[in-house]
Amino acid sequence: GDLRELCERELEDERSQPIAVAAQGMERVLLLTLIGHDSCESERELAELEGLVRSAGGQPVAVMSQKSGSTNPQTLWGKGKLQEAALEVRRNGASLVITDRELTPVQARNIERFVNCPVSDRSELILDIFAQHAQSSDGKLQVELAQLRYRLPRMVGRGTMMSRLAGGIGGRGPGESKLEIDRRRAQSRITELERRLANMQKRRNQRRAQRRRANVPVVAIVGYTNAGKSTLLNTVTQSEVRAENLLFATLDPTVRRVRFPREREIVMLDTVGFIRDLPPALMQAFGATLEEVSCADLLLHVVDLTDPDQTSQIQTVEQILAELDASDIPRFIVFNKCDALGDAAQSR
């Protein structure tokens, strides 16, 4: 009875949250990439970046690539390549440039001067997708915290002379600059979000303690993004969790109860998808959610059998599980999307 009430309460919490509204309109995006020595890996990384752009509601219209061995520390890309990118921006009517490498604030500003267009990197793109797809209040707070942590060091002024905050000789003047006010407000908001998320974490700990007292096994579904974790959860539990052919279509963790014969029950947990080079700000902000994985009794590692990069994706998932101290948890690998393979491939 206690377990049923717990699961029903968690399901009711999810239903009570407003549905996130996706950004309308297709923003035209130019992709700026660096090519490594492995051309096949570079192609897979580009395909994943294009998928991220589409998940964010954008449309990739052009790609500009350069070999990574000849990078400029001020811009990562050479002057000539950035001039070509500026021409492609105007030719294709792009309103945004997205890079496949994380940029420092200085690098982002330097590239913007060349291409005369706003510039974002892969980390900021993933943060934007998470902001669109977060539905629960817990998820929204974690996304906002990750965005603030990411953007706070990138708040820069136009000059090096900043007004002093203290009064007295040499400190009189216009007072705080707008940049200083924005930074102070951002830091205050980060502190408030951390406090609220800590309270939510306490409630999650209480729920996990109730499950342990009820001796109910927890099975966590993990895997690379868009491997089909939510589809598996829906099939096993007869649920209607959002499942789409998009990267990070499901963000918030979902808990469902499964009842077996002989009065046996388990709890299945669907988690956010993993991805290579996950931004540290996201790993830190979603640590409270991902800790559910480390407390599970069994992991179902879902693998997209149709993806040619499945071996690398498995390695990425295993690496993240190790970072979560979940390497020793028993697991099954579940190969998904077998129906999308040809007859010859299925017979192998």
Side-chain angles (χ1 to χ4, degrees):
D2 293 341
L3 174 64
R4 185 176 292 104
E5 292 177 3
L6 174 64
C7 291
E8 289 176 353
R9 187 162 60 249
E10 291 179 345
L11 180 59
E12 188 64 28
D13 289 343
E14 293 174 10
R15 289 173 175 169
S16 65
Q17 301 301 331
I19 302 299
V21 179
Q24 298 182 358
M26 297 289 286
E27 189 166 14
R28 299 174 66 83
V29 179
L30 181 139
L31 304 180
L32 199 55
T33 68
L34 289 176
I35 301 176
H37 298 293
D38 189 338
S39 59
C40 293
E41 182 179 356
S42 297
E43 289 178 2
R44 291 192 293 265
E45 291 177 352
L46 174 59
E48 184 174 270
L49 184 62
E50 291 176 339
L52 289 170
V53 170
R54 294 189 180 95
S55 293
Q59 178 185 358
V61 295
V63 179
M64 297 297 297
S65 300
Q66 176 182 297
K67 291 184 178 180
S68 58
S70 55
T71 58
N72 181 347
Q74 297 299 317
T75 57
L76 290 185
W77 285 263
K79 179 179 179 181
K81 183 60 64 175
L82 292 177
Q83 290 173 340
E84 292 180 29
L87 292 175
E88 288 297 318
V89 166
R90 292 192 291 270
R91 182 179 296 123
N92 292 278
S95 57
L96 178 66
V97 172
I98 292 181
T99 69
D100 65 341
R101 298 293 189 272
E102 186 163 339
L103 302 174
T104 67
V106 173
Q107 290 169 343
R109 290 200 307 274
N110 290 338
I111 295 175
E112 285 180 352
R113 293 191 186 103
F114 273 102
V115 300
N116 194 27
C117 181
V119 174
S120 295
D121 59 20
R122 179 177 177 271
S123 298
E124 195 168 8
L125 173 62
I126 294 176
L127 285 169
D128 183 80
I129 296 171
F130 274 42
Q132 291 186 44
H133 293 175
Q135 297 183 16
S136 69
S137 56
D138 196 349
K140 290 178 180 178
L141 290 179
Q142 291 182 91
V143 170
E144 183 182 355
L145 177 59
Q147 287 179 323
L148 286 172
R149 283 175 171 167
Y150 179 82
R151 293 170 180 169
L152 182 60
R154 289 165 171 78
M155 292 183 181
V156 293
R158 295 183 178 274
T160 58
M161 296 300 293
M162 305 295 294
S163 300
R164 288 179 56 183
L165 299 180
I169 298 175
R172 301 184 179 93
E176 291 181 294
S177 70
K178 184 179 184 303
L179 174 62
E180 290 166 337
I181 294 173
D182 290 343
R183 281 176 171 167
R184 181 163 51 82
R185 287 175 176 172
Q187 189 59 62
S188 298
R189 181 60 177 168
I190 287 174
T191 302
E192 170 65 15
L193 290 174
E194 290 174 340
R195 183 189 64 79
R196 294 173 62 179
L197 286 171
N199 292 334
M200 290 182 174
Q201 183 176 0
K202 290 180 181 178
R203 290 197 290 269
R204 283 195 298 269
N205 291 338
Q206 292 172 354
R207 290 174 178 174
R208 282 198 296 268
Q210 288 178 342
R211 293 171 191 156
R212 285 194 294 268
R213 286 195 297 268
N215 195 25
V216 178
V218 176
V219 179
I221 305 175
V222 300
Y224 209 79
T225 179
N226 203 31
K229 299 180 300 300
S230 298
T231 301
L232 175 62
L233 179 76
N234 289 337
T235 302
V236 174
T237 65
Q238 304 300 311
S239 301
E240 296 182 355
V241 176
R242 180 186 181 190
E244 296 184 38
N245 187 23
L246 291 173
L247 301 182
F248 297 117
T250 303
L251 175 61
D252 300 295
T254 305
V255 178
R256 292 293 184 268
R257 179 173 55 117
V258 180
R259 188 175 183 84
F260 293 99
R262 300 181 182 179
E263 303 299 321
R264 186 59 172 169
E265 294 180 339
I266 67 170
V267 167
M268 294 197 73
L269 172 70
D270 183 20
T271 60
V272 61
F274 298 159
I275 194 171
R276 63 170 62 89
D277 301 325
L278 191 66
L282 277 179
M283 281 292 292
Q284 185 178 9
F286 280 84
T289 300
L290 294 174
E291 71 183 9
E292 297 279 1
V293 174
S294 61
C295 297
D297 300 291
L298 176 68
L299 301 180
L300 296 182
H301 181 176
V302 181
V303 178
D304 181 358
L305 199 56
T306 66
D307 198 309
D309 196 27
Q310 59 181 268
T311 301
S312 175
Q313 293 178 355
I314 292 174
Q315 294 174 350
T316 297
V317 173
E318 293 295 335
Q319 178 183 349
I320 295 177
L321 289 176
E323 295 174 359
L324 298 173
D325 295 326
S327 298
D328 297 332
I329 299 177
R331 73 198 65 180
F332 289 119
I333 293 184
V334 181
F335 291 103
N336 194 25
K337 305 184 183 180
C338 298
D339 56 320
L341 295 173
D343 295 335
Q346 290 188 38
S347 63
R348 290 201 296 269

